[in-house]
Amino acid sequence: MIENELISDNLLANYDYEIPAELIAQKPVENRADSRLFVIRKESGKFEHRKFSDIAEYFNEGDCLVINTTKVVPSRLFGKKISGGKVELLFLDPCQSGAEYRVLMKPFLETGKKVYFNGGFECAVKSKTEYGESVVEFNKTGVLEFLQKHGIMPLPPYINRKNGLAEKLSDFDKERYQTVYAGAPGAIAAPTAGLHFTDGIFKALKNKGVNLAQLTLHVGWGTFKPIVSADLNEHKMMSEKYYIDAENAEIINESIRNNKKVASVGTTSTRALESLAEKAITNQMQNGKTYIGEFSGETSIFIHPGYKFKVINALITNLHLPKSTPLMMASAFCTREIMLNAYKEAVKEKYRFFSYGDSMIII
């Protein structure tokens, strides 16, 4: 029976569910903390329905909340071909130095063709990668500054910004598709579980004695990339850069040491924490507990059912797309059966789904 369950857990088709189009949030609620909060008790499989402003009630003194402080770069840029036709570029590593950038281009242009932008900026297509990316070379420095001024936020394709809406709502999305604690530019997608937090919520958590730890993982385009392998064991995640300093690692270790809650805000924070655990050397594992340390590097960890969590024991997340890697991670944390039942309940209760939608905590 257990073997059959593992086989089922490894099949992509078993992470599908029906989602009415009207439940896919096109804008966030007016006040971040007014998002709904779907609570899952993973031991019992029971659900509760609250508001995100109630989140502090699920924490106690000495618990630790871990946030991802990456900042989304407005990395979608519109230019023109020499014929005047529109070209869209999505910069995959917008903070890199040098003249060459990896981009997703629509429509794809052949090697040698150029794209023209305002202010005398232009780029030429140099090559194409095995992942369908284009490598372009710019004629000027200051591309990141140009993106900050003229770029559009790289919203997922299920958020409708067609027919001029992207430009019209650009300022709105630059504010709301960003956490209030974003600090280090480098992401091309928001760590969306953090979009619900406000200064007031952090104050309420601090008043309860909850500790806050920070790390940074720059979310890449793998967050949009669909899984194509029918067997999850064959899927390879694209690597993302992340880092944590010694001070924040010790804040997390203190909660581990004292058997307190370590709650990651989002699947990106979770991937960073569990990657740190994988790097733990022998003297970082004591009494069956794994402690983390300062680190800077890349991770391509893929967490799905069968994975044993080493750091976190609570997860704050959003309601994710069918067949997506974040849905699989959440399923690994509380079982696929509980998660899919929860999503059925969320549809029934008309929760708002995906990046601009409502929140969930699994405890």
Side-chain angles (χ1 to χ4, degrees):
M1 180 67 180
I2 293 176
E3 185 176 344
N4 289 335
E5 287 176 2
L6 288 174
I7 292 172
S8 295
D9 283 345
N10 286 331
L11 296 178
L12 175 63
N14 290 337
Y15 293 87
D16 203 3
Y17 69 91
E18 295 292 326
I19 170 72
E22 63 268 20
L23 297 185
I24 301 174
Q26 299 301 306
K27 287 185 180 181
V29 293
E30 185 175 351
N31 299 307
R32 293 175 186 260
D34 286 342
S35 298
R36 295 170 73 187
L37 179 65
F38 193 115
V39 183
I40 297 178
R41 303 277 185 178
K42 65 176 184 171
E43 294 302 322
S44 65
K46 301 234 169 144
F47 308 142
E48 300 167 23
H49 303 293
R50 305 290 296 273
K51 274 195 171 182
F52 195 80
S53 53
D54 300 325
I55 192 78
E57 294 181 24
Y58 295 92
F59 291 87
N60 298 303
E61 183 176 359
D63 290 343
C64 182
L65 189 75
V66 186
I67 60 174
N68 179 7
T69 61
T70 190
K71 187 172 186 178
V72 184
V73 176
S75 46
R76 285 179 68 205
L77 190 65
F78 295 103
K80 292 184 178 180
K81 297 183 283 189
I82 195 167
S83 63
K86 198 173 186 179
V87 182
E88 178 186 337
L89 272 63
L90 173 63
F91 288 70
L92 302 180
D93 193 0
C95 293
Q96 71 183 56
S97 57
E100 291 190 355
Y101 289 81
R102 290 183 306 113
V103 302
L104 295 180
M105 182 178 290
K106 189 168 65 175
F108 174 73
L109 300 184
E110 296 176 357
T111 301
K113 298 290 186 180
K114 289 188 175 183
V115 184
Y116 301 88
F117 308 94
N118 295 330
F121 277 82
E122 60 184 63
C123 69
V125 180
K126 304 292 288 184
S127 61
K128 186 176 181 179
T129 75
E130 60 180 312
Y131 299 109
E133 307 160 356
S134 297
V135 177
V136 299
E137 183 177 15
F138 275 81
N139 64 329
K140 288 186 175 188
T141 59
V143 172
L144 177 58
E145 291 76 12
F146 188 75
L147 282 173
Q148 296 285 13
K149 185 175 181 181
H150 298 285
I152 302 293
M153 289 301 259
L155 298 180
Y158 51 76
I159 296 178
N160 177 22
R161 290 296 184 266
K162 297 177 182 176
N163 301 320
L165 269 180
E167 291 89 344
K168 183 179 179 181
L169 296 176
S170 179
D171 289 342
F172 173 83
D173 289 325
K174 282 180 179 179
E175 178 190 358
R176 295 304 304 273
Y177 193 64
Q178 198 83 270
T179 62
V180 297
Y181 48 79
I188 65 166
T192 54
L195 296 179
H196 314 280
F197 283 88
T198 64
D199 292 340
I201 287 175
F202 284 123
K203 184 177 180 181
L205 288 163
K206 184 178 179 181
N207 288 342
K208 290 196 75 169
V210 177
N211 298 313
L212 184 69
Q214 302 180 10
L215 54 76
T216 300
L217 182 143
H218 293 311
V219 191
W221 84 278
T223 193
F224 304 120
K225 193 175 169 68
I227 298 177
V228 294
S229 305
D231 185 342
L232 300 190
N233 291 315
E234 297 175 3
H235 179 66
K236 304 298 181 188
M237 294 286 286
M238 301 183 76
S239 64
E240 294 166 314
K241 299 174 183 176
Y242 77 106
Y243 55 89
I244 189 171
D245 61 27
E247 180 182 355
N248 282 285
E250 182 51 32
I251 293 171
I252 297 165
N253 287 338
E254 185 68 13
S255 290
I256 295 172
R257 196 173 291 119
N258 294 322
N259 298 316
K260 298 293 185 177
K261 192 180 279 116
V262 176
S264 58
V265 179
T267 58
T268 61
S269 297
T270 306
R271 294 182 69 234
L273 289 169
E274 295 298 319
S275 296
L276 289 165
E278 295 290 333
K279 298 183 180 302
I281 57 175
T282 304
N283 64 9
Q284 288 176 297
M285 301 186 69
Q286 303 164 15
N287 301 320
K289 298 176 183 177
T290 302
Y291 298 94
I292 62 174
E294 182 176 14
F295 183 79
S296 178
E298 295 188 1
T299 180
S300 57
I301 190 172
F302 176 28
I303 298 175
H304 55 91
Y307 180 84
K308 303 300 181 186
F309 289 84
K310 302 169 185 65
V311 177
I312 74 161
N313 46 37
L315 173 62
I316 297 172
T317 189
N318 274 22
L319 293 151
H320 300 291
L321 274 76
K323 299 183 178 180
S324 64
T325 57
L327 174 60
M328 292 161 195
M329 178 189 289
S331 298
F333 194 65
C334 72
T335 80
R336 179 172 58 88
E337 181 182 12
I338 290 176
M339 185 53 54
L340 292 179
N341 283 341
Y343 273 49
K344 286 180 184 176
E345 176 84 358
V347 168
K348 178 184 171 185
E349 295 293 325
K350 299 193 182 304
Y351 274 72
R352 303 169 74 252
F353 279 65
F354 309 158
S355 292
Y356 270 156
D358 292 315
S359 182
M360 173 181 285
I361 184 170
I362 308 170
I363 49 177

